[in-house]
Amino acid sequence: MTTMVNDPRTLHQRLVEQPRCTGLALAPDGTRLILSVQALDDEGVRYVPELWEVDPAGERDPRSVPGSRQGDFAPAFAADGTLLFLSDRETGEADEGPGPSLWSLPDSGEAAWTAHHPGGTTAFTAAARSDTLACTAALLPGAADAQAHAGVVAV
């Protein structure tokens, strides 16, 4: 059976299958542009984020960020040029808890676990000219801070 070019179902499927940009970060010196790109997983049932690097000068082809993995998202740069992002990677910490953690990735080397909130970090931002980060995360009702949240979760 021949599929018609204007078949709306075909167009819809094509749109669903297209990767989509969900985050964008430019390095402080302007030499690196990092995108968070969501694409369908192998089963075609959910979107999985990945970090990609695009050359701002347009001289090199886009590539997957060395040291990143599927599931990394929300890129940002620290003032010193270190790439920061959120991820559900395993940290090896016993009291880590659920949800994404903040990770850092230098120009060369492996990603390093940077911070975690017991309920997971939902968003963060990095100051442009200092070593300051601000993170947002949910707290359970009645929990005054992250330690109280962790105590409620552990019970």
Side-chain angles (χ1 to χ4, degrees):
M1 179 175 197
T2 306
T3 304
M4 294 179 57
V5 173
N6 292 330
D7 180 5
R9 186 175 160 134
T10 303
L11 175 62
H12 179 262
Q13 189 61 33
R14 287 182 185 171
L15 290 173
V16 167
E17 291 171 351
Q18 290 299 310
R20 54 203 65 195
C21 178
T22 59
L24 182 67
L26 182 64
D29 63 3
T31 60
R32 296 180 72 200
L33 182 61
I34 307 297
L35 284 78
S36 178
V37 178
Q38 286 185 338
L40 282 175
D41 65 4
D42 293 337
E43 292 81 33
V45 295
R46 68 182 182 103
Y47 289 99
V48 179
E50 274 189 275
L51 298 179
W52 281 80
E53 185 168 351
V54 176
D55 180 16
E59 297 170 358
R60 295 184 312 266
D61 289 335
R63 65 183 180 137
S64 180
V65 173
S68 71
R69 299 180 185 165
Q70 274 193 342
D72 297 346
F73 66 101
F77 281 95
D80 67 358
T82 300
L83 176 61
L84 304 168
F85 59 91
L86 295 176
S87 183
D88 278 329
R89 295 174 182 219
E90 297 272 332
T91 65
E93 297 292 320
D95 61 347
E96 173 189 338
S101 294
L102 182 63
W103 290 77
S104 62
L105 184 62
D107 279 340
S108 61
E110 293 295 316
W113 181 54
T114 304
H116 181 76
H117 182 275
T121 303
T122 55
F124 75 96
T125 190
R129 295 184 181 94
S130 72
D131 294 336
T132 303
L133 292 172
C135 298
T136 58
L139 287 177
L140 290 170
D145 56 26
Q147 289 176 328
H149 177 97
V152 172
V153 172
V155 173

